[in-house]
Amino acid sequence: DAGVIQSPRHEVTEMGQEVTLRCKPISGHDYLFWYRQTMMRGLELLIYFNNNVPIDDSGMPEDRFSAKMPNASFSTLKIQPSEPRDSAVYFCASRAGTGDHQETQYFGPGTRLLVL
Amino acid sequence: GENVEQHPSTLSVQEGDSAVIKCTYSDSASNYFPWYKQELGKRPQLIIDIRSNVGEKKDQRIAVTLNKTAKHFSLHITETQPEDSAVYFCAAKGAAGNKLTFGGGTRVLVKP
C-alpha cells in the first residue's frame, strides 16, 4: 500500500488566490481527517469524514475553508481567498474503522503552504 | 471538549539515558491514547498506543503507562539514541467520538 497520498507537497501562492489541497486515503479506510500544523497552534483537527460524509467541521477556522470528499479515494481542502495566516503544513490522515485495532491514524506527507 | 496538556515542551538527554514525557487529559471517558513521533520535515508516525483497559504497554525501548484515576499517561524511552531526536506528540480520543486531540508536543534532543 502506498499510504496516504497528498498533493501538492509544496504550494506558494499570493494572498487572495484560491488554494486546493488534495488527499488520497489508504484504500479501504473509512475515516479521513484534515489537520493543520503551525508552531503557534500545534496540530489542529480541521474536519473529518466517515464514509465520505463530513462528520465534524468544528475545527474549520472560517468560511474561507471548505472540504469535500466526493468518493472514498479522494478529498480536497480548499481555501478561498487565501491569507498569509493560512501558511502552515496541512496533513491528511486516514483510519480503517472503529474496532479496537482500527483506530490508528496514518498521516500523509503533508502539504507545505506559504501564502505571500 | 477534550483538552490534552503535554510536558515538558523540550527535553535534552545524554545518549543512553532515559526520557520521560507526560500528558494529562480532561475527558474521563477517553479510551485511546496514541503517541506519535515526528522527525523534522516529516509526517507524524505512530510509535505506540494504549487503550483505557490497559495500564502499561511496552515495545522494545519504549513504554507507555496510563493512570485513569489521575487522567494522565506517560511515554518512557530507555537507552536513548541520537535517532530518537524528534518531536513527540501524545493524543487522546474521547469515547463519544472519533477525534484525536493532540498535546502541544515535546522536542527531544539526544546528545551523543
Side-chain angles (χ1 to χ4, degrees):
Chain A
D1 199 319
V4 177
I5 298 172
Q6 290 186 246
S7 65
R9 296 291 305 277
H10 303 271
E11 177 81 26
V12 181
T13 190
E14 292 187 345
M15 182 173 63
Q17 296 298 305
E18 178 180 292
V19 175
T20 299
L21 311 182
R22 296 173 176 80
C23 175
K24 176 178 167 55
I26 293 172
S27 177
H29 280 196
D30 292 340
Y31 288 84
L32 184 140
F33 303 82
W34 280 102
Y35 291 91
R36 179 172 67 176
Q37 186 175 39
T38 61
M39 288 295 292
M40 291 296 294
R41 300 177 66 87
L43 202 54
E44 304 173 276
L45 177 66
L46 301 177
I47 185 171
Y48 81 92
F49 296 82
N50 177 215
N51 291 324
N52 315 335
V53 176
I55 303 299
D56 187 335
D57 65 355
S58 59
M60 296 286 261
E62 46 197 281
D63 293 345
R64 298 184 296 107
F65 286 69
S66 63
K68 294 181 179 179
M69 191 164 186
N71 58 62
S73 59
F74 183 66
S75 177
T76 59
L77 178 67
K78 187 173 293 187
I79 308 172
Q80 166 63 18
S82 58
E83 297 183 3
R85 60 195 167 117
D86 302 330
S87 298
V89 180
Y90 291 81
F91 287 104
C92 175
S94 71
R95 191 182 101 189
T98 54
D100 274 358
H101 298 286
Q102 297 181 310
E103 291 179 289
T104 302
Q105 289 190 21
Y106 297 89
F107 283 77
T111 295
R112 296 183 176 276
L113 173 65
L114 177 61
V115 183
L116 302 173
Chain B
E2 175 72 278
N3 183 48
V4 178
E5 301 279 344
Q6 184 171 346
H7 300 280
S9 57
T10 59
L11 181 60
S12 181
V13 298
Q14 207 66 37
E15 183 177 359
D17 288 350
S18 295
V20 180
I21 304 170
K22 298 181 180 181
C23 289
T24 59
Y25 60 98
S26 60
D27 183 357
S28 57
S30 290
N31 61 3
Y32 174 65
F33 307 91
W35 286 88
Y36 283 82
K37 176 183 178 182
Q38 186 177 28
E39 297 177 352
L40 188 62
K42 301 292 181 64
R43 73 191 79 187
Q45 292 194 295
L46 180 78
I47 55 172
I48 195 167
D49 58 11
I50 192 168
R51 292 174 177 81
S52 56
N53 58 349
V54 175
E56 183 175 3
K57 184 176 178 181
K58 290 182 179 180
D59 183 2
Q60 299 183 346
R61 295 187 297 108
I62 59 173
V64 57
T65 58
L66 172 65
N67 183 328
K68 288 190 295 182
T69 303
K71 291 189 288 185
H72 68 69
F73 55 114
S74 300
L75 178 72
H76 304 251
I77 307 173
T78 59
E79 300 173 22
T80 53
Q81 300 168 5
E83 53 264 37
D84 295 328
S85 296
V87 178
Y88 292 81
F89 292 94
C90 63
K93 184 181 80 68
N98 295 290
K99 300 193 296 187
L100 285 181
T101 300
F102 284 83
T106 297
R107 186 173 300 278
V108 174
L109 175 63
V110 180
K111 295 183 285 187

